C-alpha cells in the first residue's frame, strides 16, 4: 500500500517518470513507463534490477547499441487478420522500420558476452527472427517506401505504358504550343503551365476559340484561359485507365503480401512488444547513468543500509550549478527501526527524508538508485509519507488536522513491513500537546515493529532513543564557526535547532535574544553549541586523520622503494667490482707472462738490438690495449688516504656546508634548509635529513674522492632518481577523449610499475561514467594491477579510481 495518493508528487517520482518517458523512443517504452507500479515481489524485483543493471553496464562498455525509432502497429496487424485485407505502403514502411530495429537490437545483445550479461541473454532467449518478413516487404517496397516497379510483371508493364503515354502527352502539348506561337495566338515567350496537375497552354481569352482543345481553368481576372489540346485530352483518358489498372495491381500485390505476413502476425506483435520492453530497459539504464545509480544488494527483509545515498533530482540540479551534492549514509534495522532526525532549519532534514522515500520507491519500481553497490536494501509492503502543507479548503481542514488524518490512516494499517516518513512531526499546533501526541504515535508504531524516518525540533522526541529500544537519534551537523549547514547526518545523538545562532547571524536585535536566552537558560544553549562543535571538530579530525594515514602510507612506500633500490645498487656494485677484480687479475697474469717471455727472449738473443726493439714494441702495444679496455658499470671508487674529520663542535649547519650523516663516511653539500629539514646533495642522490643527524666537516678536511668510470650506469641511476622525484601518484584525465585517456593511463601505469609504486589514483570525474569504464576495463587486463576501487567519500568517491599494484 502506498499512501497518500499523491505519494509520487511528494517524493518527486513524477519527475523521474517524466525523465524516463523522455528517454523512450517509442510508444511501447512510454506505455511501460506510464504503467510503472510499486512491487514487493522479491524474485521479480531482483530480476528486473539485474536486467537493468546489465543494460546499464552494456551501454557503458559495449558501444554501438542500435537504438532507433519504432511504431505501435497492433491495430494495423489486427486489420489484416481477415483474408482479402492488406496494409497500405505507409504502414508497411513503418513495419519494416520497427522489425529491423527489433532484429538489430536482438542481434546486438546476442553478440555480447553471455557470462557478462546472463540476464539479458536469458531475456532474448525466447525471441525468434523470421527472415521472410523483411524479405517479403523489401520485395514490394523500395528504400523510400514506394511500391517497386518490378513488384509484379503486370505492374512493370503497366508502368512502362504509363511512362510512354506521359512522354507522348509532353510531346503533343509541346507541338501544340509551338503551333500556337507560329499562329501568333500566344506570345513568343509563352511557357507551358500546370493546372490541376495537367499541362496546359495559357492563352489570351480573346483567342481561346482559335485553339482546338478543352478549357481547364481561367485566371482570376478572366483574361487568360488555360487550354488542354484535344489530342492531349484524349490521351488523358487512356492514362486514367492505366492508373486504375495500376491501382488494382498494387492492391493485388499488397493482398498477396498480407497473405504472406498473416501467419506471422502474432510473432510480429510479440516482437514489437519485446522491442518496447528493450526501449523501457534502455530508458531505465540511461536514467541510472545520468544519476550515477547502481544496484544495491537486495534482501527479502525490512531493513536497509545505504552508503553515499543521494537525492537524484537534487544532484542533477546542483550539477547544473557546478556544485556537488553531499551524500548521506542511512541505515534502519531491527534494532534501530525508527530514526529521529533533528537539527537546524535548512540543514537538510527534509531532503534526507525525501531521499529515503524516493529511493525506496524507485527501487521497488525496478529502478537503480544512486547509492554504492555495496549498500544493502530491503523490501517493504507499505510506504507512507507525510510532508508539506495538507490544508484543505474544500473539507474545511487545517494543516494540523490533515496531518492527524494521515497519521490516523497510517496507524490503521502499519505493521512490521511498513516504512513511514514524517516531516516536522507534531508541528502545526501547541508544542506541548503536539509533542505529546507525536511521542505517543511513535511509541505505537514502534510497538507495531514499523520502520520510519522522522524529522522534528521537539525535545521530547529526541529523548525517545534514550528511554526506549527501537529508536535512533540523528543530527544534521552545523558549522557554528562559519554559520552554515554541513548537510551531514550523524547518528547516535540528537541535534540542536541553532535558533539563537541563526538569529544572531542575521543581526536579530541583541536585547531580544538576551531576553530569550534568559528564558531558555544559557547553560542549555552553551551545551547544545558545545555538542555540535564537538561533532563538527570530530568530523574534521576524522578527515585529517585519513589524510595523514594516506600520507604515511605513501611515505612508507617511498622509503621501502628507496631501500630496495639502494640494496639493488649495492648488489650490482659488488658484482661489477668482483668482475673488475677478476679482469684485473687476468690482465696482471698476462702481463707477467709477457714480461717473463720478453726477458727470456732477450737473454736468448743476447740482447740483440733489433730483437729488443721488437719486444719493446710488443709490450707497448699490449699496454695500449689495456688502457683501451672500457669499464662500464657502477662508480668504481679510488679512495685516497684520508684523515678522520673533526666532529662538529657547535658549528651550525648552513647552506653550502660540507656535511655527512653521523656514523656514515660519504660526505655531501647542504643545498637547502627548511626548519629542521636539511636537503643534502650526495654524489648519487639528494636526501632530506634532520639537522641533528648531520655533522659539519671542516672546510679543509680531506674527503673521499671518487673516480667515475661507469658513465652508462651513473646516467641510469640519475634518470631513475629524476623519474622518482618527478612522478606524481595522481593523474587527472578529466575532459580527455576516450582514446587519449587510454594512452595516457597506459603510459602512467607502465611508469608506476617501473618505479615500483605500490598505489596510484586516477582522477576521471563522475560524469556519465564513460571514462571510468574505459579506465577500469584497461586496468582489468594488466597482470601487475592487484586491485582497483572507488576512492573514499572524503577523497572523491566514484570520481577517483584507486589502483593497487603488485
Amino acid at each position: 500500500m502506498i499512501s497518500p495518493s499523491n505519494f509520487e508528487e511528494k517524493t518527486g517520482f513524477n519527475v523521474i517518470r517524466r525523465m524516463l518517458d523522455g528517454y523512450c523512443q517509442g510508444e511501447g517504452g512510454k506505455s511501460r513507463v506510464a504503467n510503472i507500479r510499486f512491487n514487493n515481489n522479491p524474485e521479480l524485483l531482483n530480476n528486473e534490477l539485474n536486467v537493468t543493471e546489465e543494460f546499464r553496464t552494456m551501454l557503458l562498455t559495449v558501444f554501438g547499441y542500435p537504438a532507433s525509432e519504432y511504431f505501435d502497429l497492433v491495430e494495423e496487424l489486427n486489420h489484416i487478420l481477415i483474408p482479402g485485407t492488406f496494409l497500405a505502403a505507409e504502414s508497411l514502411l513503418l513495419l519494416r522500420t520497427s522489425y529491423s530495429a527489433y532484429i538489430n537490437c536482438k542481434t546486438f545483445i546476442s553478440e555480447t558476452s553471455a557470462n557478462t550479461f546472463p540476464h539479458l541473454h536469458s531475456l532474448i532467449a525466447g525471441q525468434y527472427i523470421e527472415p521472410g518478413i523483411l524479405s517479403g516487404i523489401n520485395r514490394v517496397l523500395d528504400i523510400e517506401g514506394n511500391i517497386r516497379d518490378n513488384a509484379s510483371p503486370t505492374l512493370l508493364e503497366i508502368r512502362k505504358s504509363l511512362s510512354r503515354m506521359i512522354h507522348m502527352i509532353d510531346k503533343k502539348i509541346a507541338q501544340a504550343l509551338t503551333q500556337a506561337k507560329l499562329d501568333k495566338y500566344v506570345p513568343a515567350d509563352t511557357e507551358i503551365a500546370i493546372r490541376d496537375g495537367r499541362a496546359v497552354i495559357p492563352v489570351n481569352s480573346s483567342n481561346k476559340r482559335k485553339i482546338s482543345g478543352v478549357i481547364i481553368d481561367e485566371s482570376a481576372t478572366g483574361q487568360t484561359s488555360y487550354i488542354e489540346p484535344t489530342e492531349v485530352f484524349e490521351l488523358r483518358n487512356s492514362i486514367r485507365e492505366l492508373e486504375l489498372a495500376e491501382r488494382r495491381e498494387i492492391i493485388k500485390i499488397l493482398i498477396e503480401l498480407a497473405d504472406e505476413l498473416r501467419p506471422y502476425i502474432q510473432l510480429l506483435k510479440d516482437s514489437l512488444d519485446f522491442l518496447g520492453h528493450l526501449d523501457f530497459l534502455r530508458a531505465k539504464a540511461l536514467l541510472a547513468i545520468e544519476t550515477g545509480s547502481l544496484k544495491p544488494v537486495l534482501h527479502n527483509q525490512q531493513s536497509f543500509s545505504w552508503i553515499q545515498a543521494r537525492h537524484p533530482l537534487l544532484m542533477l540540479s546542483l550539477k547544473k550549478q557546478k556544485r556537488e551534492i553531499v551524500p548521506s549514509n542511512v541505515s534502519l534495522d531491527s534494532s534501530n527501526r525508527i530514526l529521529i532526525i533533528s537539527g537546524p532549519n535548512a540543514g537538510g532534514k527534509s531532503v534526507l527524508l525525501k531521499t529515503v522515500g524516493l529511493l525506496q520507491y524507485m527501487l521497488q519500481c525496478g529502478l537503480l538508485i544512486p547509492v554504492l553497490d555495496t549498500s544493502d536494501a530491503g523490501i517493504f509492503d507499505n510506504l507512507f509519507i507525510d510532508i508539506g502543507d495538507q490544508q484543505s479548503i474544500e473539507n474545511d481542514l487545517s494543516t494540523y488536522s490533515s496531518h492527524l488524518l494521515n497519521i490516523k490512516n497510517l496507524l490503521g494499517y502499519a505493521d512490521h513491513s511498513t516504512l513511514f516518513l514524517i516531516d516536522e512531526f507534531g508541528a502545526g499546533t501547541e508544542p506541548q500537546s503536539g509533542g505529546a501526541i507525536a511521542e505517543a504515535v511513535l511509541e505505537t508504531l514502534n510497538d507495531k515493529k514499523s520502520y520510519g524516518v522522522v524529522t522534528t525540533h521537539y525535545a521530547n522526541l529526541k529523548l525517545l532513543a534514550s528511554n526506549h529500544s527501537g529508536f535512533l537519534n540523528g543530527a544534521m551537523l552545523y558549522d557554528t564557526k562559519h554559520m552554515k549547514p554541513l548537510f551531514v547526518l550523524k547518528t547516535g545523538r540528537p541535534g540542536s535547532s541553532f535558533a539563537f545562532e541563526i538569529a544572531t547571524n542575521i543581526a536579530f536585535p541583541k536585547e531580544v535574544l538576551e531576553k530569550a536566552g534568559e528564558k531558555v537558560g544559557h547553560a542549555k544553549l552553551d551545551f547544545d553549541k558545545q555538542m555540535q562543535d564537538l561533532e563538527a571538530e570530530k568530523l574534521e579530525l576524522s578527515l585529517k586523520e585519513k589524510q595523514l594515514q594516506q600520507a604515511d602510507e605513501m611515505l612508507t612506500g617511498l622509503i621501502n622503494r628507496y631501500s630496495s633500490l639502494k640494496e639493488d645498487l649495492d648488489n650490482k656494485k659488488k658484482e661489477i667490482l668482483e668482475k673488475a677484480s677478476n679482469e684485473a687479475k687476468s690482465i696482471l697474469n698476462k702481463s707477467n707472462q709477457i714480461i717473463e717471455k720478453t726477458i727470456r727472449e732477450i737473454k736468448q738473443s743476447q740482447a740483440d738490438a733489433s730483437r729488443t726493439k721488437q719486444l719493446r714494441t710488443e709490450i707497448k702495444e699490449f699496454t695500449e690495449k689495456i688502457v683501451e679496455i672500457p669499464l662500464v658499470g657502477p662508480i668504481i671508487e679510488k679512495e685516497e688516504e684520508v684523515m678522520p674529520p673533526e666532529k662538529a663542535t657547535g658549528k651550525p649547519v648552513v647552506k653550502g656546508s660540507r656535511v655527512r650523516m653521523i656514523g656514515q663516511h660519504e660526505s655531501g653539500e647542504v643545498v637547502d634548509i627548511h626548519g629542521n629539514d636539511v636537503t643534502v646533495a650526495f654524489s648519487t642522490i639528494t636526501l632530506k635529513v634532520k639537522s641533528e643527524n648531520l655533522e659539519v666537516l671542516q672546510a679543509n678536511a680531506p674527503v673521499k674522492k671518487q673516480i667515475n668510470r661507469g658513465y652508462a650506469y651513473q646516467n641510469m641511476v640519475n634518470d631513475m632518481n629524476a623519474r622518482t622525484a618527478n612522478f606524481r601518484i595522481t593523474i587527472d584525465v578529466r575532459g580527455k577523449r576516450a582514446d587519449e585517456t587510454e594512452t595516457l593511463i597506459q603510459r602512467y601505469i607502465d611508469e608506476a610499475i617501473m618505479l615500483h609504486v605500490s598505489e596510484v589514483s586516477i582522477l576521471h570525474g563522475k560524469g556519465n561514467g564513460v571514462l571510468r569504464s574505459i579506465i577500469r576495463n584497461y586496468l582489468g587486463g594488466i597482470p601487475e594491477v592487484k586491485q582497483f576501487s572507488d576512492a573514499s567519500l572524503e577523497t572523491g568517491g566514484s570520481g577517483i579510481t584507486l589502483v593497487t599494484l603488485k
Side-chain angles (χ1 to χ4, degrees), residues 532-546:
Q532 188 72 7
D533 287 347
L534 285 173
E535 290 295 340
E537 289 174 7
K538 183 179 178 182
L539 185 67
E540 187 178 352
L541 286 173
S542 176
L543 179 61
K544 288 185 177 179
E545 182 182 5
K546 289 182 180 179

Side-chain angles (χ1 to χ4, degrees), residues 355-494:
T355 301
V356 173
L358 177 58
L359 265 55
Q360 186 64 42
Y361 191 73
M362 286 176 63
L363 185 74
Q364 292 194 235
C365 285
L367 301 178
L368 306 180
I369 57 176
V371 298
L372 291 189
D373 53 5
T374 52
S375 301
D376 291 321
I379 299 175
F380 295 89
D381 295 335
N382 307 306
L383 290 185
F384 170 87
I385 191 167
D386 186 69
I387 187 171
D389 191 350
Q390 301 282 336
Q391 188 170 4
S392 172
I393 298 175
E394 293 83 358
N395 297 325
D396 195 24
L397 293 176
S398 68
T399 300
Y400 186 67
S401 298
S402 64
H403 283 308
L404 286 181
L405 278 177
N406 284 339
I407 301 301
K408 174 189 172 184
N409 294 334
L410 169 64
L411 291 172
Y413 63 78
D415 58 16
H416 70 282
S417 63
T418 298
L419 175 64
F420 63 89
L421 309 159
I422 305 175
D423 192 34
E424 301 294 351
F425 201 9
T429 189
E430 187 269 318
Q432 188 170 359
S433 301
I437 293 175
E439 184 176 350
V441 168
L442 288 181
E443 289 177 351
T444 303
L445 291 171
N446 187 36
D447 293 339
K448 290 174 175 281
K449 308 298 183 184
S450 298
Y451 293 75
V453 179
V454 175
T455 68
T456 187
H457 289 287
Y458 287 171
N460 63 315
L461 299 186
K462 300 178 187 180
L463 297 175
L464 280 173
S466 58
N467 299 328
H468 301 274
S469 61
F471 292 97
L472 175 67
N473 271 319
M476 301 305 295
L477 299 186
Y478 192 81
D479 186 350
T480 56
K481 293 180 181 178
H482 302 94
M483 296 305 297
K484 65 177 182 179
L486 299 175
F487 304 109
V488 175
L489 173 67
K490 181 70 176 180
T491 57
R493 295 177 183 173

Side-chain angles (χ1 to χ4, degrees), residues 608-624:
D608 180 70
S610 60
R611 181 58 181 158
T612 301
K613 183 178 180 181
Q614 181 184 353
L615 290 173
R616 284 179 178 175
T617 302
E618 290 177 0
I619 292 174
K620 183 179 180 182
E621 289 176 354
F622 176 72
T623 304
E624 289 175 350

